[in-house]
């Protein structure tokens, strides 16, 4: 996975999978990553209530597509699955383990992210524990999962001014509402429903225009 940049001024996209990644989803991912060349940096594999063997079988083609596009393949919540897949990293919720323990399991090159909700304290703890990025949210109501915490723009501004560890903005982000998050200092926008609930390539291009990164080479 490309290293999460700490000096790149351009905000980038972090795609999160829908819960159903069967059927034609690999083709949709291919289309999204082709449209997102230079903009999409990471893809999070997020499935629930599934045994590891089944999850690994679904992950394999998606991981290959990500590798072909040099997009990091991150496993949500499951360090054991990330290790089995030799994934580029893991994303941990507050109940999913410690970044230090995940580092021991996955190695020094793994990208480890931590959900920090709306908490400065949790984010600083994650950074001290060796997280490669912290995720803040929800910034907007989500169509893909229930949200208990609501984060404000000043959290992104505070973090980006004081810390080098990149921050990810999550929840309910669309091309229409992402501008203030970019301006506030988000390094990455984690997006799911805004991409997968319609034409994924068109959505990626709409994000590209909204973020203002310009066309990829």
């Amino acid at each position: 996975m490309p290293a999460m940049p700490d000096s790149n001024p351009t905000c980038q996209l972090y795609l999160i999978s829908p819960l159903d990644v069967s059927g034609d989803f690999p083709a949709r991912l291919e289309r999204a990553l082709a449209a997102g060349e230079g903009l999409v940096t990471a893809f999070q594999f997020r499935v629930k209530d599934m045994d590891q063997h089944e999850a690994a079988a679904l992950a394999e083609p998606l991981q290959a597509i990500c590798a072909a596009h040099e997009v990091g393949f991150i496993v949500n919540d499951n360090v054991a699955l990330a290790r089995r897949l030799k994934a580029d990293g893991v994303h941990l919720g507050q109940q999913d383990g410690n970044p230090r323990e995940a580092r021991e399991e996955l190695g020094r090159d793994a990208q480890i992210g931590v959900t920090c909700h709306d908490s400065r304290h949790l984010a600083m703890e994650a950074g001290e524990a060796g997280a490669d990025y912290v995720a803040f949210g929800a910034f907007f109501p989500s169509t893909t999962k229930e949200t208990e915490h609501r984060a404000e723009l000043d959290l992104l501004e505070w973090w980006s001014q004081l810390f080098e560890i990149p921050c990810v903005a999550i929840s309910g982000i669309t091309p229409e509402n992402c501008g203030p998050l970019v301006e506030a200092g988000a390094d990455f926008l984690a997006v799911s429903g805004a991409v997968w609930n319609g034409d994924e390539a068109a959505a990626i291009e709409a994000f590209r225009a909204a973020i203002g990164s310009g066309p990829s080479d």
Side-chain angles (χ1 to χ4, degrees), residues 32 38 44 60 95 120 177:
Q44 185 182 121
E60 188 175 357
Q95 310 302 320
R120 300 182 183 202
N177 66 23

Side-chain angles (χ1 to χ4, degrees), residues 74-156:
I74 308 296
V75 172
N76 177 259
D77 290 355
N78 193 325
V79 174
L81 180 60
R83 183 176 182 180
R84 172 174 175 161
L85 293 171
K86 296 183 173 62
D88 295 302
V90 69
H91 183 87
L92 302 174
Q94 284 298 315
Q95 310 302 320
D96 299 319
N98 182 285
R100 287 192 180 92
E101 294 171 357
R103 178 76 61 203
E104 290 177 8
E105 286 283 319
L106 300 178
R108 64 180 184 179
D109 294 330
Q111 295 288 325
I112 297 173
V114 179
T115 294
C116 299
H117 305 301
D118 58 350
S119 172
R120 300 182 183 202
H121 175 69
L122 290 178
M124 289 189 289
E125 278 192 337
E128 290 170 2
D132 294 288
Y133 69 89
V134 296
F136 294 121
F139 285 95
F140 306 104
S142 172
T143 61
T144 57
K145 64 183 295 187
E146 292 185 17
T147 55
E148 300 176 20
H149 306 270
R150 179 56 61 88
E152 302 296 337
L153 291 175
D154 62 357
L155 181 58
L156 294 174

Side-chain angles (χ1 to χ4, degrees), residues 199-216:
D199 182 316
E200 57 275 0
I204 295 291
E205 289 303 338
F207 272 112
R208 189 187 296 279
I211 290 172
S213 60
S216 59

